[in-house]
Amino acid sequence: MSPSATAPEATFTITPMTRSPKQKHNYGATVTGLDLNDISDTDVRHLSDAIWTHKVVVVKGQKDLAPIKQWELVTRFDPSSPQVHSHGDMKTFNSKGGLLSKSREVLGIPGAENVRLIGKGFQGEDHYGIKNKTITKPLSHDWHAKELPQDEFDAGNVRFQRWHMDAPLYGRDPAWFTTLRCLKRPTEPQVNIRWDDDSGLSMKAEPGLTAFISNVQMYEMMTEDEKGMADHSWVEYAPHPYMWIGDCKGNSNGLGLVSQGKEKSLEGLGDFDPKDVKTYPMVWVNPVTGEKAFHVHGICARKLFIRTSQTEEPRIIDDVVEIRKLLKTIQERVLKPEYILIPSLDEGDIVMWANYQMFHTAIDYPGSYGPRTMHQANIASSSPPAGPYPIPSAA
């Protein structure tokens, strides 16, 4: 039973997002009638349940939200969690963030450092104490192995940057939810998002938004044999995983890595504590709905332990080429335009998503369209994800 099942009713309204006949994603909702500067404990529980249930929720009309109130909301979702951003403080993020910190510029908001400024272009003369800042290193397609020609990008042809969940995958457990507040973004012209992977796929979207795919729908697309394997199997992630892949390049559709042998050796990662290396089930169970998600962050996976029953001895796959081939077969099925949700955000809207069920990605756009300003916050969870079956204690 969900935490709010016996609580007083919510004071806000939840409206499922509409979709066209061609669209096949089955998640997403908007919330209206809520002031996140002054939200009751009851409404926090109802909002939490709404995120678990609808997976992507856009809370409308939060133009006056104070950054510290965004952080307070995140901590109220999971009050037993350590009170720090899931990727640590800014010093930790910049020193150990590897791929994440070297590929973009991220700043903590003064007085609310765990709320991170993520954007592009000029951020204003005084943005909550950050003065005359121009972000010249946004999330972009530069990480891809296959180059996107500059003239094509300038013409509005873009890509999904990197499909991922928000997870340190070392030392701390992934956030239940991520919150991303839109303060400023261009709304036109549309960008043309290309897969550039010989599939010929593309789709249009407003600039400056975030795209989502559901790993619950991904699981539902699997065969019964694949589900049986995934339900009983688990993943070991690399120590300091984003340092481990710091020199690697991604596929042009944003999903997974190109295998070029550029992963760092364990010795090259410096000191790490084996107790902080994370091992998670392949399938994560939604604690409110009971839905299963095939939730494997393939770019950071160092070993797979494959079995089809609780009594079977697992087959260990530690060849990253084989790991990525297996995951690609399953994960790319949902990477089609009809399964992708790119919710539009007005200035002041805040999108929140269930990080245990969804992958998401930024989508870059030509700088001539205008600046983008977002506030992102999440918190490492107080408990790790649970699978359909426990991982053996000896693993």
Side-chain angles (χ1 to χ4, degrees):
M1 181 178 293
S2 68
S4 64
T6 59
E9 291 187 4
T11 65
F12 56 86
T13 301
I14 304 171
T15 306
M17 292 181 185
T18 59
R19 61 181 188 266
S20 72
K22 291 183 178 181
Q23 293 176 315
K24 295 182 180 179
H25 53 75
N26 59 5
Y27 53 91
T30 57
V31 165
T32 54
L34 188 58
D35 179 3
L36 295 180
N37 278 315
D38 184 23
I39 179 173
S40 68
D41 288 343
T42 295
D43 277 345
V44 168
R45 291 193 294 271
H46 281 292
L47 182 57
S48 174
D49 276 6
I51 300 168
W52 283 120
T53 301
H54 296 281
K55 304 177 185 67
V56 177
V57 171
V58 175
V59 183
K60 304 292 291 184
Q62 306 301 311
K63 279 190 175 183
D64 298 324
L65 180 64
I68 194 63
K69 289 296 184 180
Q70 182 176 348
W71 175 246
E72 288 177 4
L73 175 65
V74 166
T75 63
R76 291 169 72 188
F77 281 142
D78 192 1
S80 299
S81 179
Q83 304 294 291
V84 67
H85 194 283
S86 69
H87 284 289
D89 58 24
M90 288 304 303
K91 181 179 179 181
T92 301
F93 177 74
N94 287 323
S95 63
K96 299 293 186 182
L99 171 75
L100 302 184
S101 55
K102 85 172 189 177
S103 64
R104 59 175 169 163
E105 190 171 12
V106 178
L107 298 92
I109 301 297
E113 188 196 60
N114 289 302
V115 177
R116 305 286 158 85
L117 171 61
I118 298 173
K120 178 170 183 159
F122 184 58
Q123 301 300 299
E125 293 183 1
D126 188 345
H127 183 79
Y128 295 98
I130 300 173
K131 297 184 178 180
N132 294 307
K133 179 65 182 177
T134 298
I135 295 178
T136 57
K137 193 168 70 168
L139 285 168
S140 74
H141 54 266
D142 294 348
W143 177 61
H144 298 161
K146 182 179 179 180
E147 182 181 357
L148 176 61
Q150 187 65 41
D151 60 335
E152 296 181 22
F153 175 67
D154 291 340
N157 296 290
V158 302
R159 295 174 180 165
F160 299 116
Q161 193 263 344
R162 177 172 47 87
W163 291 102
H164 65 285
M165 57 173 154
D166 288 331
L169 299 174
Y170 176 83
R172 289 177 296 274
D173 290 317
W176 289 343
F177 311 139
T178 295
T179 65
L180 184 67
R181 179 177 169 229
C182 175
L183 285 85
K184 180 186 293 184
R185 72 171 182 92
T187 57
E188 57 182 12
Q190 286 191 324
V191 292
N192 180 45
I193 308 166
R194 304 191 319 206
W195 271 238
D196 281 347
D197 61 355
D198 299 326
S199 68
L201 294 172
S202 66
M203 64 187 298
K204 304 279 190 181
E206 296 175 22
L209 297 173
T210 301
F212 297 91
I213 53 176
S214 167
N215 289 340
V216 175
Q217 286 191 289
M218 184 187 296
Y219 181 84
E220 291 168 349
M221 292 176 175
M222 296 167 69
T223 67
E224 292 304 311
D225 285 347
E226 289 171 336
K227 290 176 181 178
M229 176 276 294
D231 283 349
H232 292 89
S233 301
W234 63 94
V235 186
E236 181 183 307
Y237 290 97
H240 299 304
Y242 303 103
M243 294 176 64
W244 181 61
I245 61 169
D247 296 326
C248 297
K249 293 289 187 177
N251 291 314
S252 60
N253 62 12
L255 184 63
L257 292 175
V258 175
S259 295
Q260 300 172 309
K262 293 183 177 181
E263 297 79 14
K264 287 183 170 60
S265 67
L266 295 190
E267 294 75 20
L269 297 176
D271 292 338
F272 66 87
D273 190 334
K275 295 193 301 296
D276 286 335
V277 172
K278 290 300 182 182
T279 299
Y280 293 131
M282 275 191 174
V283 174
W284 296 14
V285 178
N286 186 315
V288 170
T289 68
E291 293 170 300
K292 295 178 180 180
F294 184 77
H295 212 56
V296 180
H297 204 353
I299 65 174
C300 299
R302 185 169 164 265
K303 292 182 181 180
L304 301 183
F305 295 78
I306 304 297
R307 62 178 188 170
T308 57
S309 72
Q310 289 183 272
T311 57
E312 182 181 345
E313 191 70 22
R315 177 172 68 95
I316 301 173
I317 303 176
D318 57 7
D319 179 345
V320 294
V321 175
E322 187 177 351
I323 289 171
R324 291 163 191 165
K325 181 179 179 181
L326 185 155
L327 296 177
K328 175 184 171 74
T329 301
I330 295 171
Q331 292 178 323
E332 283 195 347
R333 296 171 196 171
V334 80
L335 192 58
K336 305 286 192 301
E338 60 267 30
Y339 290 104
I340 296 170
L341 173 65
I342 307 178
S344 183
L345 300 177
D346 295 325
E347 292 181 1
D349 292 351
I350 180 167
V351 59
M352 308 178 183
W353 60 90
N355 205 37
Y356 281 26
Q357 273 73 55
M358 307 300 295
F359 274 179
H360 68 281
T361 179
I363 308 165
D364 200 7
Y365 62 87
S368 60
Y369 289 16
R372 176 180 186 255
T373 304
M374 301 278 177
H375 284 183
Q376 188 254 41
N378 63 43
I379 190 169
S381 65
S382 56
S383 57
Y389 302 99
I391 296 173
S393 57

